[in-house]
Amino acid sequence: SYATGRRKTSSARVWVKPGTGKFIVNGKELKVYFGRPVSRMVVEQPLVAANVLGQFDIMCTVSGGGLSGQAGAVRHGISRALVNY
């Protein structure tokens, strides 16, 4: 499933597929790209709310803005992709 998320001036393209919980952001692991724990928590919120953390592989590309806005854009994209799925 695919969706686009936006926050402030950031835009994220998110692909969600059933898997083992692998999370890639701009070709890097989630912990490498979003170093701050708060940013990682923001990104994982839709998965926690839907009770599917670790059940989907997520690949996304994000651009524009700062890391906080990018985390919000990825969160928005994951939410929309889960709804589409």
Side-chain angles (χ1 to χ4, degrees):
S1 179
Y2 167 80
T4 302
R6 294 181 192 86
R7 166 95 171 101
K8 292 186 171 183
T9 59
S10 300
S11 181
R13 298 181 300 164
V14 180
W15 291 267
V16 173
K17 65 179 182 177
T20 59
K22 194 167 58 172
F23 209 120
I24 305 295
V25 181
N26 287 353
K28 299 179 183 176
E29 289 286 330
L30 178 67
K31 285 187 176 184
V32 175
Y33 193 83
F34 291 114
R36 296 177 58 210
V38 173
S39 296
R40 290 195 300 268
M41 181 196 70
V42 166
V43 167
E44 292 174 345
Q45 278 178 345
L47 300 168
V48 172
N51 201 23
V52 294
L53 188 63
Q55 297 177 18
F56 287 94
D57 287 345
I58 298 170
M59 201 282 287
C60 57
T61 58
V62 63
S63 64
L67 284 179
S68 178
Q70 287 185 354
V74 172
R75 174 177 63 180
H76 188 215
I78 291 171
S79 299
R80 293 175 73 178
L82 287 175
V83 168
N84 290 342
Y85 181 79

